[in-house]
Amino acid sequence: MSLSTSIREVSGVVIVDLSGRITLGEASGKLRDTVRDLLAKGNKKILLNLGDCTYIDSSGLGELVSSYTTAANQGAKVKLLNVQKKVDDLLQITKLYTVFDSYTDESEAVASY
Amino acid sequence: MSLSTSIREVSGVVIVDLSGRITLGEASGKLRDTVRDLLAKGNKKILLNLGDCTYIDSSGLGELVSSYTTAANQGAKVKLLNVQKKVDDLLQITKLYTVFDSYTDESEAVASY
Amino acid sequence: MQEVRELHLELGSTLDSADAAELIVQRLAEEYGFSAEQIEHLGMAARESMVNAIVHGNAYSKEKHVRFSVVVGPEKITVTVRDEGLGFSPTEVPDPLSRENILRGSGRGLLLIRAFVDHVEIHPAEPVGTEVVMVKFSSPQAGGQSEHKEE
Amino acid sequence: MQEVRELHLELGSTLDSADAAELIVQRLAEEYGFSAEQIEHLGMAARESMVNAIVHGNAYSKEKHVRFSVVVGPEKITVTVRDEGLGFSPTEVPDPLSRENILRGSGRGLLLIRAFVDHVEIHPAEPVGTEVVMVKFSSPQAGGQSEHKEE
Ligand SMILES: Nc1ncnc2c1ncn2[C@@H]1O[C@H](COP(=O)(O)OP(=O)(O)O)[C@@H](O)[C@H]1O
Ligand SMILES: Nc1ncnc2c1ncn2[C@@H]1O[C@H](COP(=O)(O)OP(=O)(O)O)[C@@H](O)[C@H]1O
């Protein structure tokens, strides 16, 4: 599996640390399942830490958007942390930077909810 | 084609400049045909310049040996010029360095026949 | 390496084939001196076009294959991906940048392909399927066709 | 990249498949921080084992495929090549280093494979064919099995 995830909580915000590649298949499925699980458990503040994610394809981007909209439909908010240059370029090209709140400082991100 | 060859003559020695990869297939076939052609035309002194050959596989090595033996059977001599480090490592591992006369200086190589 | 290298493969309709295509294109581009960013972009274009061929074209069918080719020389790299699917009309694909589509969970592959190579051609293949041809030049000056990016 | 990546492909019995395997292994090894020399050696081992599978195993048959797998992580890379041929007995292969074989025009592939990876296993596959498993460690200390080189 080329994507690993781990979950921690800081001041009521669930932070998902994603490490590896988010591409179509197992990896994008893992991201989806992780977020759906968190939402099912009633979490409303989800912060996806992409600091160790250097690669994402269009399906991975799509999965980020789906996480965002699924959360929004349930009154929850998905935000991004530590987006790396390569991934940020993709957010620019796809204009998804207009959708996501994105932070480089974890405590700032946590405080923003 | 990943291998290109060109032929020139210096003081009665035919120098074949090989550039690219010598691997099984078209490339090893080209080396074989080139040497056979030269032998058929009566050339007895053949110098293979491997200065621009950075990659050779076991079939390419085999083709060098076949060129050597085919030439020897006809009273001709195949020698090597400018063997690069990577290729030289292979000549060591396969002990083919014991078969080939190998030079780093072209005029020295030409004078050696 | 100044000689031209070519590679032609028949790959199965599995997602691992997309990984394979990406890695092959990246390594060849590297060998021929493309920049780190160009290599990244080429890999992504190869991946996205392969995923389209596998998922939309061949629908993961075990009976269908993707024909994947690379031709690379000192000036440019050409990557061709061909599936055995039903084909599609690129002009009818919804614009993923428009306001009404921005929240969609898919539809950004062709956008990335067009952003990352200098020239893209998508046409029906004979007797069936779709062929996508992507060209990227190693130096920007050589890229006389870069207006195609905006097509 | 600290996660493990895996790739499993069915490749046709053509020489381009050997190029593909070489490039894939090289790029993955690079991603995981193997040294330039290790990458070179891994590519060569992958190529030689693929050529054997294509030429000796499958005899270029269109009906036969080569199963090519890579599993790579931070510590080691494992490359597996499996053909559908008649199999062979590695111990009966003539020693290419011996005086009487040194002028042969072939027979050096297995020698190079053994020289370039830390561990090689060759065994019959079920129901037919040969499977070659090659392991290389990224740092020499981790290579506790390197005596296999001399086997
Ligand atoms: N090779 C193909 N064969 C058939 N349809 C395709 C192919 N490539 C793309 N398409 C169509 O174009 C649409 C847009 O593709 P793309 O931009 O890559 O986004 P996505 O694959 O996420 O939908 C696809 O949803 C599909 O309908
Ligand atoms: N996958 C295989 N299937 C059948 N025979 C094989 C296979 N791999 C190797 N061999 C046998 O072992 C011999 C030695 O192989 P190798 O050392 O790679 O040299 P070469 O391929 O140049 O002969 C081959 O000639 C062949 O007889």
Side-chain angles (χ1 to χ4, degrees), chain C residues 94-106:
Chain C
D95 176 9
L97 298 179
S98 75
R99 245 186 162 297
E100 67 271 25
N101 295 327
I102 193 81
L103 288 179
R104 284 202 183 194
S106 65

Side-chain angles (χ1 to χ4, degrees), chain C residues 52-53 56-57 83 87-88 93 106-110 130:
Chain C
N52 281 347
H56 303 304
D83 63 52
F88 75 110
V93 168
S106 65
R108 297 175 182 87
L110 293 172
T130 300

Side-chain angles (χ1 to χ4, degrees), chain C residues 75-76 118-119 135-149:
Chain C
E75 273 150 38
K76 66 175 182 185
D118 293 319
H119 181 68
V135 181
K136 195 172 181 80
F137 297 93
S138 54
S139 54
Q141 329 59 305
Q145 314 215 41
S146 58
E147 69 270 18
H148 282 267
K149 253 169 131 172

Side-chain angles (χ1 to χ4, degrees), chain B residues 58, chain D residues 48 52-53 56-57 83 87-88 93 106-111 130 132:
Chain B
S58 76
Chain D
E48 295 293 338
N52 281 348
H56 302 304
D83 63 51
F88 75 111
V93 168
S106 65
R108 296 174 183 87
L110 294 171
L111 169 68
T130 301
V132 179

